Amino acid sequence: MKVKGFFHDIKGTDRILKIRHENIERSNAEKIKADPIRRLAKELHPDKMLLEIVKIEELKWDAKTFRFHVSKSSKVKFIPPFQGGQYISFKFKIGKSYTTRPYSISSAPFEAGDLNEDKPFVEVTIKKKEKGFISEYIWENWKVGSEIEATMPLGEFYYEPLRDYDTIVAIAGGSGITPFHSMAREIVYGKLNAKMKLFYGSRLEKDILFKEEFENLQEKSDGKLQVINVLSDEDSTFEGESGFITSDIIKKYSDIEKSSFFICGPQVMYKFLSKELLDLNLKRKQVRREVFGETHDVYSFVDFKEEAKGKTFNIKVHIGEKTIDLKGYSGESVLTALEKEGIRHDSHCRSGQCGFCRSRLLRGDVYVVSENDGRREADKIEGYFHPCSSYPLSDIEIKIPQY
Ligand code: FES
């Protein structure tokens, strides 16, 4: 009986498929060229775009703001929609290495939209790092008129009214101020319905980036934006707070229980703040931190294996049919080792979050910075890892996608 039922099912399926084919034939004599929904999704969220630098503004302490229009030769014809706080990842080919770097967008989303009277633009603000491989390259090569390949805007570091409280407590250090420059402009110009208390840590008053811009924004904000500069090395004449951004300073200006916390700054600031935030008894969902970029001082994590420090290991890499052997230093991510060897591997956030570099770890051990472990549980069980946030602890064998 069961067998008969099975064949009945197959016969039934055959009949349904036939009817379906006939219906498709009848309904559309012309071939559909492309799925319009997919096409629209691709237009709104393209994998990459070509941007042209149209303006470069020099700021203090060796920082520059680069303004981009979409290049005429770009297949994408407009800047995809984004939220204040998101980043763009730029692609570089330097010598034999292919690499990427994510930078927060410092301009506001409305400035990239159709309603902008000027041509819509997007800006990033970059600080030149001493002996910074990429920033030195940018300073030498990015000129007005240069065309740069970039990803669409990405990242989870943005205000979401359904998830977040009305007030943003923004905590920034150094160039970590840039995403808040974007968010604050949205708030003050009435495009984002929220308030912001901005705590900005700098060494000296002269180091405060976007000082005048934030003063002007605060004045225009009708109480929606309050900027609290916290200076670690300034003398007592400065109007603001001195020292570091502590829980006491945050409590003094904020309603802790009714605020969402957004943190962006150097890794040393996260370490300091993690203790301060414990004092505030925040719920996990109240805190969001931007960590784009690799961990540079991985040896400073207490659970990093002492015996692996300073060592170099063999990395066997399988890409399609090819196998390549290379060396990887335990203080550098596996992604960096691949890039140094000229192996092209997709990457955007470089901090374990976006999943674009997802690969297989076939053999050996890696150290994964736990705060930057953005893998799904199933991926961990199946042996997937993110080379951008993983550091070799032994000889390893990996498999990466082919591009
Ligand atoms: S580049 Fe985003 S997870 Fe590795």
Side-chain angles (χ1 to χ4, degrees):
M1 285 302 286
K2 266 186 190 167
V3 173
K4 194 177 169 193
F6 173 70
F7 281 116
H8 269 242
D9 276 356
I10 291 181
K11 273 183 98 178
T13 310
D14 266 1
R15 198 170 54 84
I16 289 164
L17 280 176
K18 205 170 151 218
I19 295 170
R20 201 162 159 233
H21 282 303
E22 281 168 9
N23 284 345
I24 291 170
E25 288 299 313
R26 258 206 312 275
S27 64
N28 198 346
E30 281 179 28
K31 267 196 165 174
I32 298 171
K33 288 197 183 87
D35 177 349
I37 302 293
R38 272 184 189 216
R39 202 179 53 223
L40 180 63
K42 198 91 183 147
E43 273 174 28
L44 292 174
H45 305 287
D47 300 335
K48 60 181 183 183
M49 53 186 174
L50 206 53
L51 298 175
E52 182 186 338
I53 299 174
V54 292
K55 187 178 162 193
I56 301 174
E57 189 184 351
E58 305 249 358
L59 307 176
K60 56 181 63 170
W61 49 261
D62 249 353
K64 287 182 183 179
T65 293
F66 295 89
R67 176 175 291 188
F68 301 91
H69 288 171
V70 173
S71 162
K72 285 189 191 78
S73 45
S74 177
K75 280 190 189 152
V76 176
K77 295 300 173 203
F78 60 89
I79 298 160
F82 68 95
Q83 313 267 11
Q86 288 192 296
Y87 69 87
I88 289 176
S89 186
F90 294 91
K91 299 190 187 235
F92 300 88
K93 163 108 177 65
I94 305 175
K96 70 170 185 176
S97 301
Y98 292 93
T99 189
T100 54
R101 284 297 180 276
Y103 292 106
S104 284
I105 300 169
S106 52
S107 55
F110 74 85
E111 291 166 313
D114 288 344
L115 300 177
N116 191 357
E117 286 167 20
D118 283 332
K119 200 167 173 342
F121 64 82
V122 68
E123 291 177 339
V124 295
T125 301
I126 302 174
K127 179 176 167 16
K128 190 177 183 198
K129 283 192 191 142
E130 218 176 298
K131 297 199 186 129
F133 172 56
I134 294 296
S135 61
E136 278 182 12
Y137 174 88
I138 289 175
W139 255 241
E140 249 172 59
N141 292 281
W142 282 20
K143 312 280 179 216
V144 170
S146 301
E147 284 189 338
I148 321 285
E149 193 181 325
T151 62
M152 64 177 171
L154 296 160
E156 308 292 318
F157 192 72
Y158 58 83
Y159 180 78
E160 167 52 63
L162 291 176
R163 174 189 63 192
D164 295 317
Y165 289 102
D166 291 349
T167 302
I168 297 169
V169 168
I171 305 177
S175 56
I177 191 71
T178 51
F180 301 125
H181 188 258
S182 175
M183 284 187 205
R185 289 174 71 71
E186 283 286 276
I187 291 171
V188 174
Y189 286 97
K191 312 290 179 188
L192 185 61
N193 192 12
K195 291 189 190 123
M196 180 184 277
K197 306 266 180 192
L198 172 63
F199 297 86
Y200 184 23
S202 308
R203 232 163 55 73
L204 298 165
E205 187 176 0
K206 68 180 177 56
D207 295 332
I208 300 172
L209 195 61
F210 295 128
K211 185 169 185 286
E212 291 74 30
E213 286 92 332
F214 273 111
E215 280 169 2
N216 292 338
L217 285 171
Q218 182 171 261
E219 222 173 274
K220 278 192 206 142
S221 75
D222 206 12
K224 286 184 182 166
L225 172 68
Q226 184 181 9
V227 182
I228 304 107
N229 284 300
V230 184
L231 302 183
S232 60
D233 294 2
E234 193 60 87
D235 62 33
S236 55
T237 56
F238 174 70
E239 269 187 45
E241 295 288 344
S242 50
F244 296 106
I245 303 171
T246 59
S247 54
D248 285 341
I249 291 179
I250 299 170
K251 274 188 223 161
K252 186 170 158 187
Y253 296 91
S254 326
D255 183 350
I256 303 297
E257 282 174 10
K258 295 197 176 131
S259 303
S260 287
F261 286 65
F262 286 71
I263 307 165
C264 187
Q267 278 153 16
V268 55
M269 187 183 93
Y270 290 121
K271 283 195 178 161
F272 176 80
L273 272 175
S274 59
K275 287 188 229 113
E276 297 301 313
L277 295 186
L278 277 181
D279 280 356
L280 300 178
N281 279 325
L282 300 170
K283 292 184 206 101
R284 205 184 149 103
K285 65 170 189 177
Q286 270 182 284
V287 186
R288 209 158 352 278
R289 60 189 192 110
E290 184 59 299
V291 277
F292 57 69
E294 285 174 34
T295 301
H296 298 298
D297 55 348
V298 72
Y299 293 167
S300 69
F301 289 89
V302 284
D303 55 341
F304 193 94
K305 266 191 190 165
E306 204 57 42
E307 57 271 26
K309 288 184 182 173
K311 290 212 173 128
T312 298
F313 297 105
N314 297 315
I315 304 181
K316 194 178 271 302
V317 188
H318 300 281
I319 318 166
E321 300 292 296
K322 272 195 303 184
T323 299
I324 300 169
D325 289 295
L326 54 105
K327 300 279 180 202
Y329 172 59
S330 64
E332 276 180 349
S333 72
V334 176
L335 179 65
T336 303
L338 295 170
E339 290 176 343
K340 281 189 171 169
E341 198 60 28
I343 296 173
R344 195 168 196 166
H345 193 23
D346 208 3
S347 64
H348 290 174
C349 71
R350 302 183 78 87
S351 55
Q353 304 301 313
C354 70
F356 275 89
C357 68
R358 180 175 177 264
S359 305
R360 286 297 287 273
L361 179 64
L362 303 173
R363 182 175 58 86
D365 276 342
V366 290
Y367 175 77
V368 180
V369 180
S370 61
E371 292 160 8
N372 293 354
D373 191 356
R375 289 175 299 169
R376 290 173 298 179
E377 286 307 313
D379 271 7
K380 289 182 195 170
I381 295 164
E382 295 295 323
Y384 285 96
F385 80 124
H386 294 168
C388 67
S389 59
S390 305
Y391 298 75
L393 294 175
S394 68
D395 290 345
I396 59 172
E397 189 171 348
I398 66 174
K399 186 170 184 194
I400 67 171
Q402 194 170 17
Y403 295 100

